[in-house]
Amino acid sequence: MDQPASRKIIHIDMDAFYASVEQRDNSALRNKPIAVGGSSQRGVVAAASYEARKFGVRSAMASTVAIRKCPDLIFVKPRFDVYKYVSNEIRTIFAEYTPLIEPLSLDEAYLDVTDNLKNIASATQIAEEIRAKIHEKTQLTASAGVSYNKFLAKLASDFRKPNGLYVIKPSQGLAFVETLTVGQFHGIGRVTAAKLNQLGIFTGLDLRQQSEAFLKKHFGKVGSYYYTIARAIDERPVMPDRLRKSIGSENTFDHDLSTEAELLAGLQPELDSVWRLCERMQVVGRTVTLKVKFADFEQITRSRTTFGPISQKSFLDRIGTDLLTALFPVPKGVRLLGVSLSNLEASDESSGQQLVLPF
């Protein structure tokens, strides 16, 4: 397989974004281990400062585990309105260089600067300028990866974190990939990495030695993706209008719920939240998914897809409630309930505008 005409892709990833914003805005938190999230028995770490990461504290870790790893850990409540504001400041900087910006979340994005607004030939120079401007405007640091496709650019941005820049040239891509463990590949999680290991595939070189037919046999359609990235090939374009796949809301309760009344009352705020998001983003969807996590952390989901879009809140409420009541009586206490809506499309009120991810 041949790599298509070389592009210039930058992946920008803010360093410990939420935690860094908190340390910036509160000097008492600087150079201290902090976690953004809830400190309660059922709290979860949303982000950890680098001082906390030295103790093994990570995002999505239960707060009780984080405290055991770092007894001096300081918990800070998240301020998502502030993070969104700062994120928009950063995107304004990106837009000085290219309209081809694909946000992945509030703190990271791809940029295609092959043909950029400043006619700068070097993508590395653009990445350096962007990092400098981000620091000047926000007093925060960003890491950047520069390469000829998205897969390599994202790998590169992790290579010099924090506050670093790494470049993978077209002549270096294949050699770079073959030395990685499969667990380091973006898009390959722990379960898939374990399955690959069971098949005797441990590194990028091992993966490249497999046929596409072999990988599709064991991993389905995604096997073709593994086949190409093992060869340092990724033809995915930077998509500034990437459609959001779903919207959702969930809540971990202070105590386990078990009665029908408690569970229905616990579900309603999540249904309300999802509908508010629909109205704000001017979208409708066709698939409602209920997520239930029990006291012992067992998790189940139940979904229902409608023939047409769900255009009224009462319809969403009814489907969500039906999915939950079908589980009654629940076999054990419930610690978390969540609702998501997928198969999204623009609502009539959006005047045909396409849904884009907020940055």
Side-chain angles (χ1 to χ4, degrees), residues 45 68 81 105 165 183 192 195 258 260 262 282 285 288 357:
V45 175
R68 285 201 297 270
D81 56 335
S105 60
L165 185 152
T192 301
K195 185 175 180 180
S258 56
E260 294 183 15
E262 286 179 325
Q282 296 186 324
V288 180
L357 277 168

Side-chain angles (χ1 to χ4, degrees), residues 239-279:
M239 299 175 63
D241 295 322
R242 185 165 62 96
L243 291 176
R244 186 164 185 167
K245 295 181 179 180
S246 66
I247 52 179
S249 178
E250 63 182 41
N251 183 39
T252 300
F253 305 111
D254 292 333
H255 63 278
D256 296 336
L257 308 183
S258 56
T259 69
E260 294 183 15
E262 286 179 325
L263 289 163
L264 290 171
L267 180 65
Q268 192 58 54
E270 309 320 308
L271 291 166
D272 294 343
S273 178
V274 169
W275 190 254
R276 283 195 299 271
L277 286 168
C278 288
E279 290 183 322

Side-chain angles (χ1 to χ4, degrees), residues 29-94:
L29 299 176
R30 293 172 194 168
N31 302 314
K32 294 183 178 179
I34 75 164
V36 177
S39 59
S40 68
Q41 284 290 105
R42 296 172 180 270
V44 175
V45 175
S49 67
Y50 283 100
E51 295 85 358
R53 295 183 189 189
K54 293 177 182 178
F55 293 87
V57 178
R58 295 289 183 269
S59 299
M61 179 179 285
S63 298
T64 51
V65 175
I67 292 171
R68 285 201 297 270
K69 289 180 174 290
C70 181
D72 295 325
L73 188 64
I74 301 169
F75 279 89
V76 181
K77 291 183 178 180
R79 299 181 296 155
F80 289 108
D81 56 335
V82 177
Y83 310 148
K84 289 177 182 177
Y85 178 83
V86 177
S87 184
N88 283 328
E89 288 186 309
I90 295 166
R91 185 168 183 180
T92 299
I93 295 171
F94 296 161

Side-chain angles (χ1 to χ4, degrees), residues 12 93 97 125-142 163 165:
I12 299 287
I93 295 171
Y97 294 86
Q125 179 184 335
I126 293 174
E128 289 173 337
E129 288 186 10
I130 287 174
R131 291 177 62 245
K133 287 185 177 183
I134 288 173
H135 187 264
E136 180 182 5
K137 189 166 188 175
T138 70
Q139 292 78 58
L140 301 171
T141 62
N163 195 25
L165 185 152

Side-chain angles (χ1 to χ4, degrees), residues 35-222:
V36 177
S39 59
S40 68
Q41 284 290 105
R42 296 172 180 270
V44 175
V45 175
S49 67
Y50 283 100
E51 295 85 358
R53 295 183 189 189
K54 293 177 182 178
F55 293 87
V57 178
R58 295 289 183 269
S59 299
M61 179 179 285
S63 298
T64 51
V65 175
I67 292 171
R68 285 201 297 270
K69 289 180 174 290
C70 181
D72 295 325
L73 188 64
I74 301 169
F75 279 89
V76 181
K77 291 183 178 180
R79 299 181 296 155
F80 289 108
D81 56 335
V82 177
Y83 310 148
K84 289 177 182 177
Y85 178 83
V86 177
S87 184
N88 283 328
E89 288 186 309
I90 295 166
R91 185 168 183 180
T92 299
I93 295 171
F94 296 161
E96 295 177 16
Y97 294 86
T98 177
L100 298 179
I101 305 164
E102 181 181 333
L104 303 178
S105 60
L106 291 177
D107 60 349
E108 62 175 319
Y110 290 113
L111 287 70
D112 188 331
V113 296
T114 309
D115 298 309
N116 59 85
L117 299 175
K118 292 181 179 284
N119 295 316
I120 298 174
S122 170
T124 303
Q125 179 184 335
I126 293 174
E128 289 173 337
E129 288 186 10
I130 287 174
R131 291 177 62 245
K133 287 185 177 183
I134 288 173
H135 187 264
E136 180 182 5
K137 189 166 188 175
T138 70
Q139 292 78 58
L140 301 171
T141 62
S143 294
V146 179
S147 196
Y148 55 95
N149 63 43
K150 290 165 72 172
F151 173 69
L152 291 173
K154 186 168 178 66
L155 287 174
S157 68
D158 281 335
F159 212 66
R160 288 283 187 267
K161 263 189 168 293
N163 195 25
L165 185 152
Y166 192 76
V167 180
I168 302 174
K169 299 178 181 179
S171 60
Q172 301 169 329
L174 203 59
F176 181 87
V177 168
E178 68 181 23
T179 63
L180 301 175
T181 65
V182 291
Q184 291 175 287
F185 279 44
H186 176 58
I188 295 181
R190 285 180 296 178
V191 174
T192 301
K195 185 175 180 180
L196 285 164
N197 293 167
Q198 290 172 357
L199 294 169
I201 302 169
F202 296 92
T203 67
L205 179 59
D206 295 335
L207 188 61
R208 194 172 84 225
Q209 291 172 339
Q210 311 307 314
S211 69
E212 185 175 6
F214 175 86
L215 293 171
K216 289 178 72 174
K217 175 184 175 182
H218 290 280
F219 299 97
K221 291 182 179 179
V222 75

